Amino acid sequence: MAAMLLTGHGGIDKLVYRQDVPTPKPARGEVLVKVTATAKNNTDRKAREGLYPTEDKGDVTSFQIGGSPTLTFPRIQGADVAGRVVAVGEGVDAERIGQRGLLDFNLYADERRDINLTPDYYGHGADGGFAEYIAVPSDQFHAVGNPEFADAQLAAMGMCSYQTALHMLNSASVKAGERVLVTGASGGVGTALIQLCRIMGAIPYALSQQDKSDALLKLGAEAVLDRSNMQNFTDKVRAVTQDHPIDAVMDLVGGEMTNCFIDTMIFDMKRRTSYPRLSIAGASGGNVSEIMWTRIYLYQVQIFGVSHGTREEAEQLVEWIRSSQLKPVLHAAFKLSDLHEAETYFVNRSSNYLGKIVIVPDSQWQEHGAPYALGKTS
């Protein structure tokens, strides 16, 4: 089969397109999926470049929460896979053949449904979807027959973004009526957070570039705050919330902005009805923040680090997708053989970038990729 192989840590030259990669065979309890589209995530780049932190800030390493490295080379990346079942392993009902679905991208360490303490994922600890075929557990390839969504759109609602977003909200116990600040609002997790807030009855305020305001407001943001001008940021938040503090911050940025986000929650503690909460699942603005811990404990700020999510959350998301309560935010599709171009475009995102890029195998391009090629969805 054709696949893009990651051959080591480094630049995009470490991604090598091959057409002679053995097609996987489904083991017991697995299904073989013909891939029609796979969403691209920032974690693909971070894993390739070895950007996950160690105590030595100059070190290059992979994601290894389980205690030992699971990324070996060559590896096929790509976590958010949409496609169709074409074969089943022993113990799997043959009626699954032909079903279209979406992959729960996690490599779970056990059968627990409510917790995921050592997260790993397809495209890192096992081969992912930047290929023509992938073999995955049958119970993690969720059938989605909703004809409203094309395969590329279905991949754009992949679990890497949406499950992370839902886990951020659940970790912070966000409730209906609460005001939620969403940073990095134009990306995959950010656009998922805005939609999920509305489903849960919370009120999302987006932090993004102003030229994306109309799209984010249409998606469900109550207001859009300008990330290019953080001066007097709390005053700007107070203006759009009618002087109410933010109840919870969903942070994908980190860095020096963290204090600004905390400020939006603690400026008037008498008006609060719950503890200030910050869920963080990214550090695009910087990996180090200087925070006064006295502010954290005196104002009782609760901080939640979030990575991936749970089986229960994956199943909830699939139900919302099946019922069209969640909508895809698809920016563009690229051919698998053009993954170098997609990686470069992803890093140097244009001002109109919103949502997700998906990668489509060349053999599936005309049906599943061409209608969403760059310039046709914006």
Side-chain angles (χ1 to χ4, degrees):
M1 67 175 181
M4 187 69 74
L5 302 181
L6 177 64
T7 59
H9 289 304
I12 58 175
D13 60 297
K14 296 296 184 179
L15 293 166
V16 179
Y17 186 64
R18 297 281 297 272
Q19 300 186 66
D20 58 352
V21 177
T23 300
K25 295 181 179 180
R28 180 176 180 81
E30 291 186 336
V31 293
L32 180 67
V33 175
K34 177 184 284 187
V35 178
T36 51
T38 300
K40 185 176 158 31
N41 294 293
N42 196 44
T43 189
D44 300 321
R45 177 186 65 87
K46 293 181 72 174
R48 169 172 55 79
E49 295 182 359
L51 295 180
Y52 290 102
T54 65
E55 291 184 7
D56 178 359
K57 296 182 177 64
D59 198 8
V60 174
T61 189
S62 65
F63 181 91
Q64 44 185 285
I65 299 300
S68 59
T70 60
L71 176 59
T72 58
F73 303 110
R75 173 66 76 219
I76 300 171
Q77 293 188 289
D80 288 334
V81 180
R84 286 166 173 76
V85 176
V86 294
V88 298
E90 184 180 352
V92 180
D93 194 330
E95 290 188 359
R96 292 229 60 188
I97 295 175
Q99 289 184 352
R100 185 181 76 147
L102 183 65
L103 175 66
D104 173 358
F105 75 119
N106 289 282
L107 292 171
Y108 294 108
D110 53 45
E111 295 299 318
R112 289 193 63 173
R113 295 170 45 76
D114 62 332
I115 198 168
N116 184 9
L117 291 176
T118 56
D120 200 355
Y121 58 96
Y122 284 92
H124 185 275
D127 284 340
F130 291 160
E132 292 183 299
Y133 295 91
I134 183 175
V136 296
S138 177
D139 64 354
Q140 286 183 231
F141 190 72
H142 296 280
V144 181
N146 189 335
E148 182 178 342
F149 305 132
D151 287 39
Q153 295 173 314
L154 188 60
M157 293 188 286
M159 296 293 168
C160 192
S161 292
Y162 280 78
Q163 193 190 48
T164 298
L166 181 57
H167 196 49
M168 293 177 78
L169 293 164
N170 286 343
S171 295
S173 300
V174 169
K175 298 178 178 62
E178 291 193 313
R179 297 168 181 83
V180 179
L181 177 64
V182 177
T183 75
S186 64
V189 180
T191 53
L193 280 163
I194 291 170
Q195 293 189 67
L196 290 168
C197 279
R198 289 303 185 184
I199 288 176
M200 299 167 73
I203 307 168
Y205 294 86
L207 179 65
S208 187
Q209 296 168 332
Q210 284 299 290
D211 56 7
K212 299 178 183 179
S213 292
D214 289 346
L216 292 171
L217 291 169
K218 183 177 180 181
L219 193 62
E222 186 77 4
V224 180
L225 296 144
D226 187 0
R227 65 169 294 178
S228 66
N229 182 5
M230 297 293 290
Q231 289 185 342
N232 303 314
F233 184 65
T234 298
D235 291 339
K236 295 171 184 176
V237 170
R238 296 176 76 159
V240 298
T241 64
Q242 287 74 54
D243 213 32
H244 287 278
I246 292 291
D247 294 293
V249 174
M250 302 294 112
D251 188 17
L252 305 164
V253 176
E256 62 183 16
M257 293 186 182
T258 303
N259 273 310
C260 291
F261 303 148
I262 292 173
D263 287 342
T264 69
M265 296 190 288
I266 66 173
F267 62 78
D268 188 352
M269 294 296 289
K270 291 181 179 179
R271 299 196 69 170
R272 296 195 61 89
T273 58
S274 60
Y275 293 118
R277 288 148 283 152
L278 184 149
S279 285
I280 185 159
S284 61
N287 204 36
V288 178
S289 300
E290 186 174 296
I291 301 174
M292 293 177 61
W293 286 111
T294 47
R295 297 179 77 221
I296 300 302
Y297 72 75
L298 289 175
Y299 288 93
Q300 303 185 80
V301 178
Q302 299 178 338
I303 300 177
F304 304 91
V306 174
S307 179
H308 300 203
T310 68
R311 294 178 188 270
E312 288 180 345
E313 288 165 335
E315 291 164 3
Q316 176 64 80
L317 287 166
V318 170
E319 287 302 313
W320 284 332
I321 294 170
R322 288 171 178 160
S323 62
S324 299
Q325 292 184 73
L326 286 173
K327 304 292 184 182
V329 186
L330 174 60
H331 180 71
F334 287 79
K335 287 182 180 179
L336 178 60
S337 61
D338 292 334
L339 186 57
H340 285 196
E341 179 185 347
E343 290 276 356
T344 301
Y345 183 85
F346 183 81
V347 172
N348 303 305
R349 306 179 201 187
S350 61
S351 60
N352 70 337
Y353 188 99
L354 189 77
K356 301 291 287 187
I357 283 174
V358 300
I359 308 301
V360 176
D362 293 37
S363 59
Q364 302 293 318
W365 177 253
Q366 286 305 313
E367 180 178 0
H368 297 294
Y372 307 98
L374 190 61
K376 292 190 176 183
T377 56
S378 56

